[in-house]
Amino acid sequence: MVDPSDRSRSGSARSPRGRRPRSVAGQVFLLQAVVIVLLVAGAVLALVLQSLHDSEEEAERRSVAAAEAFAHSPGIVEALKAPDPSKVLQPLTEEARKLAGVDFIVVMDTHGTRYTHPIPGLIGKKFVGNIQPALEGKVHVESVQGPLGREVQAVVPVDAPDNSIVGLVAAGLKIESVANALNRQMTVILVSGGAALALATGGTALVARRLRRQTHGLDPAQMTRMYEHHDAVLHSVREGVLIVGNDGRLLLANDEAERLLDLPPDAQGRPVGELENLDPATAELLASGRVATDEVYPAGEHMLVVNQQLTDYDGVALGTVATMRDSTQLLALSGKVESANARLRLLYDAGVNIGTTLDVTRTSEELADMAVPRFADFVTVDLAEPVLHGEEPTGAADEMRRTAVSGMRDDHPLYPLGAHISFLPSTPQARGFATGRSVVVPDLSCAPEWRAQDPERTDAVVAYGIHSLLTTPLQARGVLLGLANFWRRRESGEFDEDDRSLAEELVARAAVSIDNARRYTREHALAVMLQRSLLPRALPEQNALDVAHRYLPAQSGVSGDWFDVIPLSGSRVALVVGDVVGHGLHAAATMGRLRTAVHNFSTLDLPPDEILVHLDDLVDRIDKEEGSATDDAGVVGATCLYAIYDPVSRHCTMARAGHHLPALVHTDGSVEFPDLPAGPPLGLGGMPFKTAELDLAVGAQLVLYTDGLIEDRTRDIDVGMELLRRALAHPGRSPEEHCRAVLDALLPTQAKDDVALLIARTRALAADQIAEWDVPFDPAAVRELRAAVAEKLDDWDLSDLAFTTELVLSELITNAIRHASAPVRVRLLRDRTLICEVSDGSSTSPHLRYAATMDEGGRGLFLVSRIAEHWGTRYTPEGKVIWAQQALPAHARGTNGADRSPAPSS
């Protein structure tokens, strides 16, 4: 700052006449005033010239427009050919002249003789001007000294229909008319110029006044000397100086302060709190305006000792001045503390962010991502191949798979993700894997044992700039799982012993998570394998239903959902869907036991409600066994839905145990959920199960599913049922298409619970595939029935089966007449096999006997069992049915063994 007394002394010495020179503000004001006057004068002159030019152009435009309009007006040609053109045209031109706002419109012949003129005495005189261009068909504009004075006029030709020129029309204005227009504009121009001059001068005065206030009235010499003093202070002092205003903005910073604080070039004038490289604590001090004495603050690589004082001028506070100096020893100490804190933060973050999932690959990626760029420039994780499959590694470094790669750039020459790597015994990776200890390679360019692994690739790595390697074995619970390789570029420095200890601790934490994921992978694979082995791999062949199915495992673990399609006697088919409560191997194993039990109970041809009773008893026994064997509770229960469809009668019988209602899709696309009586879940016991019977149209579709399809935490179950209904409400879709549509609508992402979906479209046996007879309760009727059966087999082209079929029916009918009660009926079904059924009114069950050599009876059912592929008994409300099934002869089957008879209607 310049002392006021110094300013007065210097002022008296500079002026020989004793007068104070003008201040900087005064000189600037005079200069700006002169410039503004010149600018305003120039602007007025430019406006005058522009206005004059525009007026002349407007005069020419109006003259041409008036002349052309009159020359092309209707009747002008006839008027020129009239005996007295002046009589016709004179009043017309005068009227047009007034309307067009011109001073004259003159019509003349091709020799220039006037027919009209505002001054009637000039009619018949020669036109003053050049008419030759107009006679050539052009529009000619010129300025001439005419009868009215100096004029601007336009001459245009009058064209006859044959394009000949029969006359000329001239129109124009006097120059003084143009000047009058300019004079009218000049007032506006001069007033606008004066206002602009006044406004600019006033603004200049305000700016000069503000400049005088800001420069404190200093003249140029004083300001020069003040600048020289400040320049010496700002650029020569080896101590940082900062000046901060009352509003917290940085006003001034010398070179040393900019270096110490790493200030950006545009730092001055910005609030100190917004400076990017400024430490928050330092910024808080500078913005606070408080006094500070020898306070220590970090600033990038420097540790600064800061002093700060308040400044004022004439009693008015101006801000603060801060000085700072570097402290190297404090910087070194602070660096060590910061390094230790960074390592602790890295280990803490690793403990939180590594191992968030039970996935080996994802855990490896988390390790690699965590170390870049806080510890290394590039990180690669190589795991033993068996680890990726959940198996125990062999302990050799020749079967590694690159599982994770992370780096500051993606164009690195390291082995890519997924590469199979066999490390040579001499490499640092193999030595570290063999010893279980980290290996540091400070300079890869001087490591021949590492470069021997792949000379071409290692040369590329060194050329890329990767300079140092730290390889650390991944070891958990005494098992070597793989290697974590940390790479640094040359500018990041070499790895040292401190880095080795940090890497080992970091990798040790990650190795435990990887081993946990490996163990989970193994257990999950075993559970999925078990569950897959317990589910049906392929649906059995049958003609009663067109079936499509889906099974979706849950995101984590396995569950006890299952489904089945079981062919029954009489071409009937059973549909089963069930769900064991719980997850894991126990639920999957229980599901396998229940599925096996369902198959066994189904062979007994029991109705759905009785099968559910048997399953309920089985689940109750399983619960009790599990509860007595362990302290933990066993399976709480299971749900099941069992349905039997008969393609002959199109009759469907269903019962459910705690399961959701099935959906029924009619042929017109409408969807309903049949009112099936609810039963308790399996395992509760004590409650009966009820059946529901439906008559299904051919082509109707029955949809069975488990709760994972419609239940979700984010929506109500009624919403799931409505979504299912909408997805199914599309006529004409096949079961396979319905499966895809349902899963897309209800499970757009991975299922959170297991889902079993079974969709069956009904078919029916054609009338020509069924034959039925009522049998009189008389042994003599057997012979007539055998003849009828033989005739029907001939119609079906199954004569090869006539003898065995007659033998089977003879034995079954004879047994029914001897040991049962009326009525007796016989039914033949031609499906994939030939099915013979004999029904009676008795509920006694026949037993297969093995007769001795001398016994006279007891061989009937034995013969039936030897002749037929399968035979059995099922009970009905009216009695029982004994059935036998025979394979069709080769000529009646297709190449795959299927029945070649007409397919059931659908």
Side-chain angles (χ1 to χ4, degrees), residues 105-271:
I105 297 178
V106 176
V107 181
M108 67 196 84
D109 59 13
T110 55
H111 301 289
T113 302
R114 300 189 186 98
Y115 291 141
T116 66
H117 196 276
I119 302 174
L122 298 179
I123 296 175
K125 303 286 182 67
K126 285 292 186 176
F127 176 73
V128 178
N130 185 7
I131 63 173
Q132 187 59 38
L135 294 176
E136 296 175 357
K138 301 177 183 179
V139 176
H140 179 64
V141 180
E142 61 184 351
S143 178
V144 299
Q145 184 65 36
L148 301 178
R150 195 67 181 172
E151 302 168 344
V152 176
Q153 61 184 12
V155 184
V156 298
V158 179
D159 297 327
D162 58 357
N163 293 329
S164 62
I165 297 174
V166 297
L168 303 174
V169 176
L173 288 88
K174 296 180 290 184
I175 293 297
E176 63 182 21
S177 299
V178 177
N180 291 336
L182 176 61
N183 292 335
R184 289 192 298 270
Q185 297 178 5
M186 185 59 67
T187 303
V188 177
I189 293 174
L190 292 178
V191 172
S192 300
L197 179 60
L199 181 62
T201 304
T204 301
L206 292 177
V207 172
R209 181 180 178 183
R210 183 175 182 181
L211 181 60
R212 183 182 300 108
R213 185 170 59 252
Q214 291 180 345
T215 58
H216 302 288
L218 297 179
D219 61 34
Q222 291 174 322
M223 294 188 65
T224 300
R225 187 166 63 256
M226 182 179 66
Y227 172 77
E228 292 171 351
H229 294 169
H230 282 218
D231 186 74
V233 172
L234 296 179
H235 300 296
S236 302
V237 175
R238 304 312 300 169
E239 186 172 280
V241 178
L242 290 175
I243 300 178
V244 180
N246 284 331
D247 57 356
R249 295 181 180 273
L250 180 61
L251 302 180
L252 187 65
N254 69 347
D255 294 348
E256 184 68 6
E258 292 179 353
R259 183 185 69 83
L260 293 175
L261 298 178
D262 191 21
L263 297 178
D266 61 343
Q268 295 190 23
R270 294 172 55 186

Side-chain angles (χ1 to χ4, degrees), residues 608-877:
D609 56 337
E610 293 187 24
I611 286 182
L612 293 182
V613 170
H614 289 295
L615 289 176
D616 183 60
D617 293 338
L618 175 61
V619 173
D620 183 59
R621 289 198 303 272
I622 292 174
D623 282 346
K624 292 178 180 178
E625 292 173 0
E626 294 293 335
S628 61
T630 63
D631 294 334
D632 298 331
V635 177
V636 175
T639 66
C640 182
L641 190 151
Y642 192 96
I644 297 176
Y645 174 70
D646 187 350
V648 178
S649 63
R650 295 184 286 104
H651 196 66
C652 182
T653 306
M654 292 184 288
R656 63 182 176 126
H659 207 80
H660 291 289
L661 290 173
L664 179 59
V665 184
H666 296 284
T667 54
D668 61 355
S670 60
V671 180
E672 67 169 318
F673 296 92
D675 187 13
L676 182 61
L682 300 176
L684 297 183
M687 297 289 292
F689 298 97
K690 297 181 180 180
T691 61
E693 298 182 354
L694 300 174
D695 289 324
L696 303 181
V698 174
Q701 298 187 35
L702 195 61
V703 181
L704 283 65
Y705 52 90
T706 56
D707 56 2
L709 181 67
I710 60 173
E711 292 184 359
D712 192 276
R713 295 178 182 177
T714 61
R715 67 181 181 224
D716 190 76
I717 187 172
D718 293 336
V719 177
M721 299 285 284
E722 179 62 20
L723 290 175
L724 176 61
R725 187 192 65 78
R726 293 179 183 177
L728 293 171
H730 295 275
R733 278 184 181 170
S734 67
E736 186 67 28
E737 292 171 337
H738 265 142
C739 279
R740 289 195 296 267
V742 167
L743 294 183
D744 291 343
L746 279 83
L747 299 173
T749 58
Q750 177 70 31
K752 296 180 176 61
D753 191 9
D754 283 20
V755 174
L757 176 63
L758 189 65
I759 301 180
R761 182 170 58 189
T762 60
R763 306 176 72 183
L765 289 181
D768 59 357
Q769 294 178 264
I770 306 171
E772 294 184 287
W773 297 273
D774 290 324
V775 181
F777 205 72
D778 182 2
V782 175
R783 181 173 58 183
E784 296 179 0
L785 185 62
R786 291 174 61 180
V789 169
E791 182 179 356
K792 174 55 74 173
L793 293 179
D794 288 340
D795 293 342
W796 285 348
D797 195 18
L798 297 178
S799 301
D800 294 349
L801 299 180
F803 175 75
T804 57
T805 303
E806 291 176 10
L807 180 59
V808 168
L809 288 176
S810 296
E811 293 296 335
L812 296 181
I813 296 172
T814 301
N815 282 341
I817 295 175
R818 286 182 178 180
H819 305 293
S821 59
V824 178
R825 291 182 58 82
V826 173
R827 186 170 73 171
L828 290 183
L829 302 177
R830 176 177 177 169
D831 195 7
R832 290 181 174 270
T833 59
L834 179 64
I835 302 171
C836 305
E837 296 182 344
V838 177
S839 62
D840 57 57
S842 173
S843 59
T844 58
S845 176
H847 297 281
L848 179 65
R849 292 176 53 194
Y850 295 94
T853 304
M854 302 303 294
D855 290 345
E856 294 184 2
R859 295 181 176 85
L861 289 180
F862 177 75
L863 290 175
V864 172
S865 66
R866 300 295 293 177
I867 293 173
E869 279 188 339
H870 303 286
W871 75 280
T873 303
R874 71 174 181 269
Y875 295 93
T876 66

Side-chain angles (χ1 to χ4, degrees), residues 489-613:
R489 294 170 62 90
R490 186 175 301 277
E491 53 267 23
S492 300
E494 301 175 353
F495 288 106
D496 54 23
E497 289 302 317
D498 290 339
D499 294 325
R500 181 206 295 267
S501 61
L502 175 61
E504 289 178 349
E505 188 168 355
L506 176 64
V507 171
R509 299 189 182 194
V512 174
S513 298
I514 292 176
D515 190 53
N516 291 338
R518 176 188 68 84
R519 292 169 180 264
Y520 171 78
T521 301
R522 179 181 61 189
E523 294 177 2
H524 182 70
L526 291 175
V528 171
M529 185 183 303
L530 172 62
Q531 187 181 35
R532 292 291 187 185
S533 66
L534 296 176
L535 289 171
R537 299 188 179 183
L539 297 182
E541 296 180 350
Q542 45 80 31
N543 285 342
L545 298 165
D546 292 330
V547 180
H549 63 90
R550 291 289 189 278
Y551 177 79
L552 299 180
Q555 287 180 342
S556 60
V558 294
S559 185
D561 292 14
W562 90 92
F563 64 92
D564 255 318
V565 178
I566 306 173
L568 303 177
S569 62
S571 293
R572 298 171 305 135
V573 175
L575 301 175
V576 189
V577 169
D579 182 6
V580 176
V581 176
H583 293 82
L585 288 175
H586 182 70
T590 304
M591 176 268 290
R593 297 173 67 178
L594 292 181
R595 181 169 177 258
T596 302
V598 169
H599 275 267
N600 292 334
F601 294 146
S602 297
T603 59
L604 302 177
D605 266 328
L606 299 175
D609 56 337
E610 293 187 24
I611 286 182
L612 293 182
V613 170

